[in-house]
Amino acid sequence: MKKRPKKLRSARREALIFFIAVLILAPIAVLSFVWTVFYPLTPEMAMHDYELELLYGPSEVLAEITPTAYPPDSPAPEPDPDFRLLLAKSGNFRSLCEVERYYGLSWNAGRPWILECPTTQPVVLYAATSRTSRLLGVVRDENVVSLTISVDICFPGNSSTPVSVTLSVPRLYEQAFAVQLIGCGFTGASFTVTGYDAAGRSLFTAEFSGEMELLAWQEA
């Protein structure tokens, strides 16, 4: 009996190995695709998924906003590995998006706050309500590199008179900034924002009073 040519045996062996590899890898590829689409593996993926629903973006992450403890001498909060607050840009718009991770696996994004860069007023602000601990802002002048925000704050469970403070924003990202307070919140009664250039010179001072002036961008 003649033996089969070695080339034929080798080709069949390679075909068998390829077939087995496809059987193993195909389900993994399908599961990876499904998991990626329905269970985002990174904060950016979760943010982009929500932006797609809004027909907005995809945006570029500019910075991760670190919560600020107040009063200044209070202990800084421990970083939460399952929480991100992302400041991002898309064209002439800036956004702030909260993203959380569930069970240490997939990320889920909340509806982003979105502001368009102003063309007339020196700065625009956005807060979801008058009493909040989070604020998003965008300035018009690209020469502005830092800010101070004079505002009244209140403490949870404390019915005493609000405290007037001046918060420092040492850096802006593509004309945008965001503040997240820990341990207190803005009263929303008034905001005074002052912008400074690299030499520390004041470039503008803008005042906001009342909840409606904070709603510079509203959900459709």
Side-chain angles (χ1 to χ4, degrees):
M1 181 180 294
K2 293 183 179 181
K3 294 183 178 180
R4 293 177 181 176
K6 290 184 178 180
K7 289 185 178 180
L8 180 59
R9 294 200 304 271
S10 177
R12 289 185 174 180
R13 184 167 55 251
E14 291 177 359
L16 179 60
I17 294 174
F18 176 78
F19 179 72
I20 294 174
V22 169
L23 288 179
I24 295 174
L25 296 178
I28 296 175
V30 172
L31 288 174
S32 297
F33 174 78
V34 172
W35 187 274
T36 300
V37 171
F38 295 100
Y39 302 97
L41 299 179
T42 68
E44 292 81 3
M45 290 170 61
M47 180 182 69
H48 292 158
D49 282 353
Y50 207 129
E51 291 176 344
L52 185 61
E53 295 182 23
L54 301 176
L55 301 180
Y56 171 79
S59 61
E60 172 193 353
V61 175
L62 299 174
E64 180 181 328
I65 302 303
T66 302
T68 301
Y70 201 89
D73 56 355
S74 60
E78 290 292 330
D80 186 348
D82 296 324
F83 176 85
R84 298 287 189 275
L85 191 59
L86 303 179
L87 182 63
K89 66 173 283 190
S90 178
N92 204 39
F93 293 86
R94 306 293 181 266
S95 63
L96 186 66
C97 185
E98 177 182 313
V99 189
E100 292 185 278
R101 181 166 54 185
Y102 293 96
Y103 306 112
L105 297 173
S106 63
W107 293 84
N108 183 57
R111 188 182 183 102
W113 294 1
I114 303 174
L115 280 177
E116 186 173 12
C117 293
T119 57
T120 55
Q121 63 267 51
V123 59
V124 290
L125 302 178
Y126 179 78
T129 63
S130 60
R131 289 183 176 271
T132 180
S133 60
R134 188 176 299 169
L135 183 69
L136 170 66
V138 185
V139 303
R140 183 186 65 205
D141 191 343
E142 296 181 359
N143 294 314
V144 176
V145 299
S146 63
L147 298 164
T148 57
I149 304 174
S150 297
V151 63
D152 290 343
I153 62 172
C154 55
F155 297 89
N158 190 339
S159 59
S160 61
T161 303
V163 179
S164 296
V165 300
T166 298
L167 305 174
S168 176
V169 180
R171 181 179 178 184
L172 277 69
Y173 301 88
E174 299 279 350
Q175 299 168 255
F177 63 94
V179 176
Q180 169 74 68
L181 296 178
I182 295 294
C184 63
F186 304 114
T187 66
S190 64
F191 288 77
T192 300
V193 182
T194 303
Y196 305 90
D197 64 12
R201 294 175 297 221
S202 174
L203 298 182
F204 73 84
T205 296
E207 296 185 0
F208 298 81
S209 61
E211 179 178 353
M212 293 308 297
E213 290 193 51
L214 294 178
L215 300 180
W217 178 87
Q218 298 185 27
E219 298 181 1

